[in-house]
Amino acid sequence: MPETTRRNLFKAALAGAVAVPLSRAAAAPCAPATQAPGWKAGIEGQRTADLGDGTYLNPIIAGDHPDPTILKDGDDYYMTFSSFYAYPGLVIWHSTDLVNWVPIGPALHRNLGVIWAVDLCKHQGRYFIYLPANPDGDGWKIFAIWADDIRGPWSDPVDLKIEGCIDPGHVVGEDGKRYLFVNGIRKVRLADDGLAVDGMLEQAYRPWRYPDDWVTENFAPEGPKLLRRGPWFYLVTAVGGTAGPVTGHMVIAARSASVHGPWEHCPHNPLVRTLDEAEPWWSRGHATLVEGPAGDWWMVYHGYENGFRTLGRQALLEPIEWTGDGWFRAKGGDLSRPLPKPARGKPGAAGFALSGNFSADSFGVQWAFHDPRPDEMQRVSHRNGALQLAGSGTSPADSSPLACIVGDRAYQAEVALELVGAGEGGMLLFYNHKAFVGIGFTPDELRVFQYAEEQVWARQKMANRRVRIRITNDNHVVTYRYSRDEGRTWTRLDTRMEVSGLHHNVFGGFLSLKIGIYSAGGGAVRLSDFSYRALA
C-alpha cells in the first residue's frame, strides 16, 4: 500500500473516533488527537505505567531510556539502556512483572566516552554486557564487561578488538558457539569465555527493505537482537533511522534454522512503525523480544513522545502473539490506550525518589557527570550531609555538570547551594554544551544562560553566599525563581524561556533535556536539599 494511502486511512480513522475542540487543537498542535492519556501518579507525582487496575499505560520507564536490552533470569527481569555521555553509566533496572521497574545501580564506572546500544545477556551463570564505545574519538569498538552477580561488582571493560561496529547482539548458535551480531547486519564468533573474538567479521543478513516512497531518515540496519525459540533463530532489527521523520524508525524480523542463515524475511514486516504524526509515540523501534511471567510474549523498544522529544527516547512495552506459521505480530497498536498487564507477574515498586540531601551516593542511578574527564569524580566530596563540587571551567559551556534524567512533561525542581570561595554555581536544563538554559550565581552576581551562552545584559549585582534555586518546566515553558533567605521569600526572574526545541532533531547526539547543576570557577559549590515534584 502506498505511504500516502496508509497515512490518509489512519487520519480518517482518527477523525471518526474523536473530535478535538478547536481551542485545544490550536493551543497544543503537537498533542495527540486522541484523548489525553491518564497516567497514575507515583513517587513525587512522577507518572508511572501501572494503573492499578490490571492495566498499564506506556512508557514503562519514563524519560531518556533508549535502546532497551532486556534479560529474563528466572522470575526476574533486568534491563539497561544506552548511557551516552553519562558516567557512571549503564544503570541496571529490575522488575518482576515487566511494568514496574526500579534501578539497581550502574555497571560501568570507567569512562569510555560515548556509549550506544548495548546487549545484556547471561551465559553459563555469568552476566555479560556487550557495549559499543568511542573512547578516544577515533572510532567505535566493542567492549565487554561481566559479573557473577547482576548487582556487581562488574569487571573492567575488555576490548574485543571489534572495530567500526555498534549495537552488539549476543546469541549461542546451534553449534554451541557464541556469536555477536552488529550493525550492518554482520556477525563474528566469540571465544567460549565471551571475552575475545574467534573468527572474522562477516556479513550475516541483508535486511528487508521498505518501499522507496516511505518517509524515513535513512536505511540504517542496526540494533540486531536474537532469540532461539523452537526450531528457529529469530533476528529482530531496527531500520529506517532512529530519529528524523517520525515515520522512519521501525521494527523488522527474520528467521533461520541456523545462526549462519539463510534468513527469511518476516511476511508481517514492519512489525512496529509510527504511521502518522498524530500518534502518541514517534520513531518507534530497536526492539527486543522477551517471554512474560505466564509464558506469553512481549516486545520492549523505545520511542519519542509526541510533542516531547526533549524527554529523549522512552522505554515502551507491547504484547506480541505467535502465529500458526511460526511468526509473530505486535498487538499493541499505537499505544495510546492502556493495555492488560502481563499475567502472573509479581507487582513491585516503580521508580525512585529524586529528592534528597546528597548525603547518599546516588551517582549513576540519579546523578551523573555529562561527558566527564577521567578524573572528574575527584571534584566530588561529601561533607555534613552535603555534596561539595569543585569548580571546573568558567561557565556551564566548558564545565561538566551533574545531570539528572527526568520523565515528566511538567515538573518543578529546587536545590540549595552555597558558594565556597570564588565558586560559581547554578541550576540548568541541560541537553549538551551547545544547548542549555539556566541561572547561576557568583559571590556578587546573578547570571542568566540562554541559547547555550550567558546573556550578559541580564547580569544583576547582588551579594550571594547561600541561595536556593527553583526551576519550573511546565510543558516546555521554563520559569526561574531564587531565594536568598532560605526559602522564606522568592524572586522570579523576569525572563521565561521556551525549550521545546532542545532535542536531537535540532542539536543531534540522541540525548535528552536533563536537570543539571554546574560548578565553575576557582572555588566550589556545596549542594544540599534537592527536591523534585511532577506537576499535573
Side-chain angles (χ1 to χ4, degrees):
M1 181 183 296
E3 173 74 2
T4 54
T5 303
R6 293 168 67 98
R7 294 175 64 181
N8 289 338
L9 287 174
F10 184 83
K11 289 178 179 177
L14 279 178
V18 63
V20 181
L22 290 178
S23 60
R24 175 181 163 196
C30 290
T34 53
Q35 183 177 1
W39 288 280
K40 186 176 180 181
I43 300 169
E44 301 167 334
Q46 299 176 47
R47 57 179 175 167
T48 58
D50 193 337
L51 301 183
D53 60 359
T55 67
Y56 73 97
L57 183 63
N58 279 295
I60 52 171
I61 304 181
D64 192 29
H65 297 91
D67 307 315
T69 172
I70 188 168
L71 169 67
K72 185 180 190 302
D73 188 20
D75 295 331
D76 297 290
Y77 296 89
Y78 300 100
M79 190 157 54
T80 192
F81 310 89
S82 296
S83 53
F84 292 89
Y85 294 97
Y87 280 90
L90 296 182
V91 176
I92 295 175
W93 291 68
H94 172 251
S95 176
T96 51
D97 66 357
L98 290 175
V99 171
N100 295 286
W101 293 85
V102 293
I104 295 174
L108 181 64
H109 296 269
R110 177 180 157 194
N111 189 340
L112 291 178
V114 62
I115 302 293
W116 281 6
V118 307
D119 197 36
L120 170 65
C121 61
K122 186 179 183 181
H123 182 72
Q124 295 183 347
R126 175 167 286 180
Y127 301 91
F128 294 84
I129 297 178
Y130 291 96
L131 58 105
N134 190 357
D136 49 21
D138 292 334
W140 291 93
K141 301 177 182 180
I142 305 294
F143 293 80
I145 58 176
W146 58 267
D148 291 323
D149 186 323
I150 191 73
R151 298 176 180 271
W154 286 82
S155 73
D156 286 335
V158 177
D159 186 353
L160 300 183
K161 310 297 183 184
I162 306 173
E163 298 187 356
C165 298
I166 60 172
D167 293 16
H170 177 270
V171 67
V172 178
E174 72 276 12
D175 55 7
K177 297 296 183 180
R178 304 173 66 176
Y179 297 87
L180 279 187
F181 282 60
V182 297
N183 64 312
I185 299 295
R186 299 161 289 170
K187 78 173 189 298
V188 62
R189 190 173 68 227
L190 295 177
D192 290 344
D193 66 1
L195 300 177
V197 297
D198 187 24
M200 300 295 294
L201 189 67
E202 59 184 3
Q203 192 67 43
Y205 166 58
R206 302 288 181 184
W208 173 85
R209 187 91 189 212
Y210 46 80
D212 188 62
D213 66 342
W214 286 16
V215 178
T216 65
E217 184 181 31
N218 49 42
F219 185 43
E222 59 190 6
K225 292 291 182 281
L226 294 106
L227 164 75
R228 190 175 190 182
R229 184 176 186 268
W232 299 106
F233 289 90
Y234 293 88
L235 171 58
V236 182
T237 305
V239 294
T242 194
V246 303
T247 55
H249 208 27
M250 65 190 82
V251 177
I252 66 171
R255 73 181 182 188
S256 173
S258 169
V259 74
H260 304 292
W263 295 91
E264 173 190 4
H265 300 321
C266 177
H268 311 309
N269 285 335
L271 296 154
V272 170
R273 179 178 177 234
T274 302
L275 298 177
D276 193 277
E277 288 186 356
E279 293 186 34
W281 292 99
W282 293 347
S283 303
R284 295 188 289 157
H286 203 105
T288 303
L289 270 58
V290 64
E291 185 179 4
D296 50 357
W297 283 80
W298 301 78
M299 184 185 298
V300 176
Y301 55 88
H302 64 211
Y304 284 107
E305 190 168 357
N306 186 329
F308 289 87
R309 278 197 177 103
T310 53
L311 294 177
R313 291 167 294 169
Q314 305 181 55
L316 309 174
L317 177 71
E318 179 169 358
I320 67 170
E321 65 176 357
W322 292 96
T323 54
D325 56 2
W327 290 105
F328 59 93
R329 294 178 182 268
K331 297 172 59 180
D334 67 3
L335 306 186
S336 60
R337 295 176 175 83
L339 296 168
K341 288 179 57 180
R344 301 181 192 171
K346 181 181 177 182
F352 64 101
L354 299 178
S355 302
N357 61 5
F358 293 96
S359 60
D361 183 4
S362 57
F363 275 87
V365 172
Q366 178 178 353
W367 298 103
F369 281 112
H370 174 84
D371 196 12
R373 301 167 303 186
D375 61 348
E376 207 75 55
M377 287 299 295
Q378 295 180 16
R379 297 174 58 199
V380 176
S381 60
H382 289 87
R383 302 183 183 184
N384 301 321
L387 184 151
Q388 185 159 310
L389 183 62
S392 174
T394 59
S395 78
D398 60 1
S399 175
S400 179
L402 287 178
C404 171
I405 294 172
V406 290
D408 296 296
R409 295 176 171 188
Y411 55 86
Q412 182 174 285
E414 184 178 318
V415 70
L417 61 85
E418 179 181 358
L419 302 180
V420 179
E424 173 186 341
M427 199 171 184
L428 313 166
L429 292 183
F430 185 89
Y431 182 83
N432 63 18
H433 286 104
K434 298 178 182 178
F436 63 84
V437 299
I439 62 173
F441 294 85
T442 71
D444 54 10
E445 282 185 336
L446 177 151
R447 296 182 175 179
V448 179
F449 301 95
Q450 192 176 15
Y451 316 119
E453 61 185 14
E454 186 193 350
Q455 305 300 295
V456 178
W457 60 267
R459 286 186 179 182
Q460 298 180 38
K461 290 290 185 181
M462 60 180 67
N464 308 295
R465 189 53 66 182
R466 288 183 56 84
V467 63
R468 299 183 73 90
I469 304 173
R470 179 184 294 165
I471 290 182
T472 302
N473 182 355
D474 189 356
N475 294 276
H476 305 308
V477 176
V478 180
T479 302
Y480 305 92
R481 290 179 173 85
Y482 59 92
S483 172
R484 295 188 293 155
D485 58 6
E486 306 297 334
R488 289 186 292 274
T489 61
W490 291 85
T491 301
R492 179 178 64 81
L493 188 73
D494 284 344
T495 301
R496 286 188 171 95
M497 301 179 188
E498 205 279 346
V499 295
S500 62
L502 302 189
H503 58 73
H504 170 81
N505 276 12
V506 179
F507 292 98
F510 302 105
L511 306 173
S512 72
L513 193 62
K514 302 176 182 179
I515 295 171
I517 298 174
Y518 82 97
S519 174
V525 173
R526 193 168 294 142
L527 307 171
S528 61
D529 195 21
F530 177 82
S531 65
Y532 175 92
R533 67 181 178 92
L535 304 176

